[in-house]
Amino acid sequence: MIGAGVFAAFAPAARAAGSALLVGLLVAAVVAYANATASAQLAAQYPTSGGTYVYGRERLGPWWGFLAGWGFVIGKTASCAAMALTFAAYVAPGAQRPVAAAAVLLLTAVSYRGVTRTARLARVVVAVVLVALTAVVVATLVGGDPDWSRVEPWGGASGGWYGTVQSAGLLFFAFAGYARVATLGEEVRDPARTIPRAIQLALAITLVVYATVAVTLLATLGADGTAASSAPVADAAATSGWAWTGPVVRVAGAAASLGALLALVAGVGRTGLAMAREGDLPRWLAAVHPRYRVPHRAEVALAVVVCALVLTVDLRGAIGFSSFGVLLYYLVANLAAWTQPREHRRFPRAWQVVGAVGCTVLVVTLPATAVLVGAAVLVVGVVWRAARRRASRA
């Protein structure tokens, strides 16, 4: 979760809501927690690869599972390309596309060798990002000139309630990630205990980090300055006058993008594996490596597609489209969790109502382009699956 979203999502959120982005952050966190409760208790009952794709099939039927899986795979494939390009923008601004492709190939190779290596590298990446963000926040608040009157969560809603809700939908992009814990169910020891604890702990830590960064940005740059910035964290650090903050932000941005890309490769590969097992993607993608126990064909296929995207298309503006796919994914998760019997429930059913309503509201308030493109891609997937089923019956 602590990936490039912390460097990318606050500027569009500020444009939508002004300083009320803090309210949007809280709304996004509440919806994320509701979705997390659904993912956690479903993962405890179904500790297998695939996440909500599997849960939707088991609890609601094959079509619901397909909608969740298709939204996740398409949205997160675009996010892989966006994260790779973001990484390259920090480390090689003049050669972004080849460097982005190299990053995709390198992290796919790491993920190919097994989830243990993936987890080790993820810990290193997160540690680097947290240390760097802490240093930047301290430097900004100590060396800069923060104006705490700019932090107006209720009085600075420049976009009204609609803009505030839209900011929540955009900031939800930065929370997305806890579902990938559930997609790794086959590779986790004691998943019924470990996965629910991991999801809730990760969400709590991420909320504290994002709230700290958001307040720092508003106090330093103000809502207008944050909205106008293409790199608000870097601009806020620059106000300290301390020269070392620039390279630190660059390292943090690169590491955050790298960590997000690594998690995406692992999560999309496992969902692709589950869909291929059921015939919703080509079945040859369902192969699991006999030594490393990873869906190696699905991960290699993903790397090929993402490399093609980063070499030909600019996807750095994919936040809205990614949020569309992820919110659809979690809508299905909440509906599936609603149907679980009492013996498998770990949280009050009311949280699934909050999650389902929240996902629906955030989707319809996303930027119109993101909604239209997301709906079009969704229709393409539905038509493809229907045609494939008809051909199979024939």
Side-chain angles (χ1 to χ4, degrees):
M1 280 184 282
I2 301 178
V6 71
F7 296 91
F10 286 113
R15 284 194 290 271
S19 62
L21 70 86
L22 292 174
V23 180
L25 181 67
L26 179 60
V27 172
V30 170
V31 175
Y33 180 77
N35 297 340
T37 64
S39 295
Q41 66 184 26
L42 285 163
Q45 184 178 357
Y46 303 103
T48 185
S49 293
T52 299
Y53 171 73
V54 173
Y55 314 149
R57 287 184 63 91
E58 294 290 337
R59 305 301 314 173
L60 303 172
W63 270 107
W64 286 99
F66 175 80
L67 290 175
W70 184 251
F72 185 86
V73 168
I74 298 301
K76 291 307 180 182
T77 298
S79 291
C80 284
M83 294 303 98
L85 287 167
T86 303
F87 166 76
Y90 277 96
V91 300
Q96 292 184 30
R97 296 191 186 280
V99 171
V104 172
L105 295 176
L106 174 63
L107 291 191
T108 301
V110 171
S111 185
Y112 191 101
R113 297 294 299 276
V115 74
T116 301
R117 288 177 174 82
T118 301
R120 287 173 182 165
L121 182 55
R123 284 198 291 270
V124 173
V125 168
V126 171
V128 169
V129 174
L130 289 178
V131 169
L133 283 176
T134 300
V136 168
V137 167
V138 171
T140 301
L141 297 181
V142 174
D145 185 22
D147 181 358
W148 299 106
S149 66
R150 295 171 172 175
V151 184
E152 300 179 281
W154 304 107
S158 60
W161 70 267
Y162 183 87
T164 301
V165 177
Q166 185 176 97
S167 75
L170 295 169
L171 289 167
F172 187 83
F173 167 84
F175 281 105
Y178 48 86
R180 266 160 272 160
V181 178
T183 66
L184 303 173
E186 292 184 13
E187 299 155 89
V188 176
R189 285 193 292 267
D190 192 11
R193 174 177 177 270
T194 302
I195 290 178
R197 292 181 62 193
I199 289 175
Q200 293 183 83
L201 182 60
L203 185 60
I205 293 172
T206 302
L207 175 59
V208 172
V209 172
Y210 287 175
T212 302
V213 173
V215 169
T216 302
L217 292 178
L218 291 175
T220 305
L221 302 177
D224 292 340
T226 302
S229 174
S230 60
V233 176
D235 289 345
T239 64
S240 70
W242 298 352
W244 59 265
T245 58
V248 167
V249 171
R250 188 173 295 277
V251 170
S257 303
L258 209 63
L261 179 58
L262 178 63
L264 284 164
V265 169
V268 175
R270 271 64 176 183
T271 300
L273 164 68
M275 296 182 73
R277 284 172 172 172
E278 300 294 340
D280 285 334
L281 288 178
R283 290 190 182 275
W284 62 270
L285 294 174
V288 175
H289 196 282
R291 177 181 177 185
Y292 300 122
R293 309 305 301 166
V294 299
H296 58 295
R297 290 181 182 173
E299 291 193 351
V300 170
L302 173 67
V304 171
V305 173
V306 175
C307 283
L309 290 174
V310 300
L311 292 174
T312 58
V313 182
D314 185 0
L315 291 178
R316 286 172 291 178
I319 290 178
F321 177 76
S322 179
S323 292
F324 180 94
V326 172
L327 287 165
L328 172 65
Y329 178 88
Y330 285 123
L331 173 62
V332 176
N334 281 290
L335 295 176
W338 172 267
T339 68
Q340 286 183 282
R342 182 182 299 273
E343 61 268 23
H344 292 295
R345 300 198 62 80
R346 294 167 175 261
F347 305 93
R349 185 170 277 167
W351 277 114
Q352 274 65 76
V353 177
V354 173
V357 173
C359 287
T360 303
V361 171
L362 295 188
V363 161
V364 299
T365 57
L366 286 172
T369 301
V371 176
L372 292 175
V373 173
V377 173
L378 188 63
V379 169
V380 168
V382 169
V383 170
W384 178 84
R385 185 175 190 270
R388 184 180 177 88
R389 287 170 58 84
R390 188 176 299 110
S392 297
R393 287 195 297 268

